[in-house]
Amino acid sequence: MIHTTDRVLVSDLREHVGRTVSVSGWVHTLRLLSKVQFVVVRDHTGLVQVTHQRGGAGEEIEAALQQLTPESAVRITGRVADNPIVKLHGLEIIPERVEVMNRAETPLPIDEGTGLEHRLDWRFLDVRRRPASQLMFAAQTTLEQGMREYAYGQGCTEMHSPKLMGTASESGAEVFELGYFGRSAYLAQSPQFFKQMAIAAGIDKVFEIGPVFRAEPSFTSRHATEFTGVDVELAWIEGVEDVMAFEERMLTHAIAQVADAHGEAILETLGVEVTVPATPFPRITMAEAQQVLRAKGWDPQGVKEDLDPEGERSIGAHLREHTGHEWVFVTHYPTSVRPFYHMRPADNPAVTLSFDLLWQGLEVTTGAQREHRYDVLVKQATEKGLRHESMQDYLNVFRYGCPPHGGLGLGLGRVLMVLLGLDSIREATFLFRGPNRLTP
C-alpha cells in the first residue's frame, strides 16, 4: 500500500487505481458547480481530474477547493478511481485532503493569446503552462547528454574556461566591457583561445558547454547577446575534414537520442518529425556555393565575400533539392571574412581551412583547422592589423611545441530551434538575453 505522503506523478496514476495517493501540481482549470466541484490538476507529466461531490462529510475539502484559483500550487491526497466518462485517461481522484501550498493571484498576467515579448516577461508562468516549452527543455537535456556521450566516447576531456578576459578576444569588436578592480575586463565571445591553450597543455581533445557573450545589436530571430555554446577542439588532426567528421557523428548520435526519447512527443506537441541525418553530410566550397547562388540571382553585383542569411537559406534549399539532405558544410571561406588564426592552405592562401555547418539554411556551427605555427600566426595577425602586445599570452601558446589542431563552436539554441521547428531563439532559451532584454 502506498503511503499517502508519497508523491505519485500524474503519468503513473493508472498503476494506482483503487489506492490513496498524493499528487502535487498546479490548478489547470476549475469548474465549481452547485452539486459537484471539478478541478483539473497539472504536473509536468500530465493532467488529472479531481472530483468532489458537495454536501457530504467533506466540508473542509469543499471549502479548500472553493477558494482555489488557476495556477495555485496544491497537493491533493485521494483515491484514484476508474471513470470511463472522464476524458483525461478515464481516471479521476476523489479527494480526501486538499493542501493549498501557494494560492495564485488572479487574474494571471498572461493567457493563450499573449504575444511572445510579454510572455518572456513572465517566462516562469509561460514555461509552466505550455507543454511545448517543457518538452523543449527535456529535448535540450537529451541533446546535450547525447553530445557529451559521443565526446566522452571519443576521449574528450570536458573543460571549463574563464568567461572573464583581460583583453578583448579576436578582433575586439562586439565585446562587453566591464569594470574590474579599477581596470577593464571583457566577457569572452568564445572559449576559442582557452581551448587552444588546453590543446597546447597536452589535453588531446577538449569539450565544453558554456555561456558565450556577443555584444551584437542584432534583433533577429536567431541572435542573442548571451547564449550556450558547444565547443570542441581536437589535437593531432590530419586536416579540417577530421573536425567535420567529428561534428557530423556527434550530432547524428545526439539527434538519434532525442528521436528515441522524445520523437513521439515532439511530433504530437509540435508537429515536427525528428529525423536522424545520414552521414557524411554534403560539403560544398564557398566558391562553389557562390557560383550556384549567383546563377540564381543572388548578389548580382558579385561583391559579397560571405553568405548572408538569404544566401545560407538558398544554398541549404539547393543542397536539399539535389541531395535530399538538410545539412551542409560550406567550406574554404575567404581569408578576408575569417579570423587570423584560421589556417590557410599553402596552395591557395586566399582561403581558409574553415567551414560553417548549415541546418535547413541556418548557420549552427563555425569551425576550422587552426594555424599552429608561431611565425605564420604572427604574420597573419599583423595582416589583420592586430596588436601583438594585447595577444602575447595567446601567441606564447605556439612558441613551445603546439600540435596541429582544429575545432568548432556550435550554438545550442540554434540547433534546438531547427530541431523543434521554433520560430525564434527566444523560445529555445530559458531566459533570453538580447539588446533590449536583461530581465527577468
Side-chain angles (χ1 to χ4, degrees), residues 1-6 16-23 37 49-53 56-65 75-81 92-100:
M1 183 75 178
I2 191 161
H3 298 293
T4 54
T5 51
D6 287 351
H16 298 283
V17 172
R19 298 182 194 167
T20 296
V21 301
S22 282
V23 293
Q37 295 165 305
Q49 179 173 297
V50 177
T51 308
H52 178 67
Q53 301 292 334
E59 282 179 21
E60 277 181 31
I61 292 172
E62 187 173 322
L65 293 176
R75 182 191 290 139
I76 310 273
T77 302
R79 187 170 51 80
V80 183
E92 62 187 354
I93 292 178
I94 312 302
E96 295 163 13
R97 189 164 80 242
V98 175
E99 297 167 82
V100 183

Side-chain angles (χ1 to χ4, degrees), residues 2 16 18 24 36 42 53 98 112 133 161 173 182 206 224 230 236 243 251 270 277 293 295 316 319 334 351 369 403:
I2 191 161
H16 298 283
S24 299
V36 64
R42 181 188 73 245
Q53 301 292 334
V98 175
E112 280 65 34
S133 290
S161 63
V206 177
V230 179
W236 306 106
V243 183
L251 282 165
L270 298 164
L293 291 172
L319 265 293
V351 300
Q369 178 165 1

Side-chain angles (χ1 to χ4, degrees), residues 30-176:
L30 295 147
R31 276 196 306 145
L32 306 173
L33 309 177
S34 58
K35 292 188 175 175
V36 64
Q37 295 165 305
F38 296 109
V39 178
V40 174
V41 173
R42 181 188 73 245
D43 70 10
H44 68 280
T45 69
L47 304 166
V48 63
Q49 179 173 297
V50 177
T51 308
H52 178 67
Q53 301 292 334
R54 290 188 194 263
E59 282 179 21
E60 277 181 31
I61 292 172
E62 187 173 322
L65 293 176
Q66 198 61 32
Q67 57 140 336
L68 289 179
T69 55
E71 296 304 319
S72 291
V74 294
R75 182 191 290 139
I76 310 273
T77 302
R79 187 170 51 80
V80 183
D82 251 324
N83 184 345
I85 298 166
V86 177
K87 285 180 187 158
L88 291 170
H89 316 294
L91 286 176
E92 62 187 354
I93 292 178
I94 312 302
E96 295 163 13
R97 189 164 80 242
V98 175
E99 297 167 82
V100 183
M101 304 306 198
N102 186 319
R103 185 176 181 273
E105 288 182 25
T106 184
L108 294 168
I110 58 172
D111 61 26
E112 280 65 34
T114 304
L116 177 59
E117 279 306 312
H118 188 53
R119 284 199 281 113
L120 292 183
D121 293 335
W122 297 94
R123 185 63 164 150
F124 69 95
L125 264 182
D126 179 43
V127 169
R128 188 208 295 172
R129 286 162 51 87
R130 291 185 327 121
S133 290
Q134 301 270 335
L135 181 57
M136 196 283 290
F137 293 112
Q140 176 185 302
T141 300
T142 304
L143 184 71
E144 284 190 52
Q145 184 185 10
M147 289 193 287
R148 276 199 171 91
E149 213 171 63
Y150 179 80
Y152 294 167
Q154 294 298 305
C156 288
T157 301
E158 188 160 2
M159 304 292 282
H160 300 287
S161 63
K163 304 306 164 213
L164 288 168
M165 304 180 75
T167 54
S169 57
E170 310 201 9
S171 64
E174 297 165 352
V175 290
F176 289 110

Side-chain angles (χ1 to χ4, degrees), residues 207-225:
F207 180 79
E208 175 169 9
I209 298 182
V212 177
F213 302 91
R214 297 275 163 90
E216 287 182 272
S218 294
F219 299 87
T220 73
S221 61
R222 61 189 195 284
H223 282 92
T225 51

Side-chain angles (χ1 to χ4, degrees), residues 290 293-294 297-305 310:
Q290 286 177 327
L293 291 172
R294 288 192 176 121
W298 174 83
D299 182 31
Q301 281 79 40
V303 291
K304 291 181 181 171
E305 295 183 282
E310 182 204 342

Side-chain angles (χ1 to χ4, degrees), residues 10 17 62 74 99 109 132 153 158 181 187 190 199 212 292 308-309 322 345 364 384 398 419:
V10 167
V17 172
E62 187 173 322
V74 294
E99 297 167 82
E158 188 160 2
F181 305 110
L187 291 176
S190 148
I199 291 293
V212 177
V292 167
D308 56 11
H322 286 81
V364 294
K384 290 269 185 187
F398 305 93
L419 181 69

Side-chain angles (χ1 to χ4, degrees), residues 225-290:
T225 51
E226 178 183 351
F227 61 90
T228 301
V230 179
D231 274 87
V232 174
E233 204 71 26
L234 310 170
W236 306 106
I237 60 170
E238 294 292 326
V240 69
E241 179 57 43
D242 291 355
V243 183
M244 293 191 281
F246 182 99
E247 178 168 34
E248 63 193 4
R249 290 178 199 142
M250 177 177 77
L251 282 165
T252 302
H253 178 84
I255 290 167
Q257 304 290 78
V258 174
D260 198 36
H262 312 289
E264 280 177 41
I266 291 168
L267 187 58
E268 192 181 316
T269 309
L270 298 164
V272 175
E273 192 161 351
V274 179
T275 52
V276 182
T279 54
F281 298 175
R283 284 118 165 94
I284 186 171
T285 66
M286 182 61 150
E288 291 166 338
Q290 286 177 327

